[in-house]
Every structure is written in C-alpha cells, then in structure tokens.
Amino acid sequence: MSAPMPTVLQPVRSSQIAGIGYDAEARALSVLFKNRDGSAGSLYRYDSVSAEQYAELAGAASVGAHFAATIKRNADAHPFVKLDSARAVFAGEAVSS
C-alpha cells in the first residue's frame, strides 16, 4: 500500500495559520495552523469549499479572520477532519517518500 499523497500548501502571512492548500477536484481546503510558539501545528481538511471561497481566503488581508468568519463559523457546511501534519509540504519543497 502506498503512502498518502502529501498536502501541498502555500505559506500565508497570519498569526494563526502557517499555510493553506486547495484540491479543486475534491473541493477541499487544507489548513496548517500554527502552534502558540509560531511553529507549524495541526493540519485540517475542510470539505465543500468552492474555488471562489479558496481564492477569497488566499487573497484576504487577514487570512485568519477570513477563515474564522467564512469557513470555521460554518462548520455544518464545511465538515472537517484532522490530518497527519507530516503530510504537509509547502509548494517548492522536496517531497520525501
């Protein structure tokens, strides 16, 4: 059995979020949160997120505030699951197998 595909993220400027990624086929948003010390923390996948919602989040002046107001606040519309944070890689990083 092969290892799960990595979750490719784009880094963002946020005090709460280290990076975000989007799978258009699955309509899934991936969010890597920061720990209190600023290091990478937990990785979550949020379902039923449109490409437009992802683009608005990626372009928001405050990614954390926009996420809280549009995705997190609407948990019924965007069910989520915690993923293995070891799957997270930032775009341009080498992926180990």
Side-chain angles (χ1 to χ4, degrees):
M1 185 174 191
S2 63
M5 292 296 296
T7 301
V8 179
L9 304 171
Q10 298 294 329
V12 295
R13 289 186 179 195
S14 171
S15 62
Q16 301 172 31
I17 297 173
I20 59 174
Y22 187 68
D23 180 337
E25 187 175 319
R27 292 180 39 116
L29 167 69
S30 296
V31 179
L32 180 63
F33 292 95
K34 290 182 178 178
N35 290 321
R36 290 180 189 222
D37 66 1
S39 64
S42 298
L43 176 66
Y44 286 84
R45 185 189 72 223
Y46 295 82
D47 294 326
S48 301
V49 175
S50 70
E52 292 80 14
Q53 288 172 305
Y54 174 73
E56 290 172 1
L57 176 65
S62 174
V63 174
H66 189 83
F67 169 79
T70 61
I71 305 296
K72 185 176 180 181
R73 186 170 293 171
N74 296 305
D76 290 341
H78 305 292
F80 62 92
V81 62
K82 185 175 183 179
L83 302 174
D84 179 359
S85 59
R87 290 182 48 193
V89 296
F90 285 96
E93 285 184 351
V95 177
S96 60
S97 52

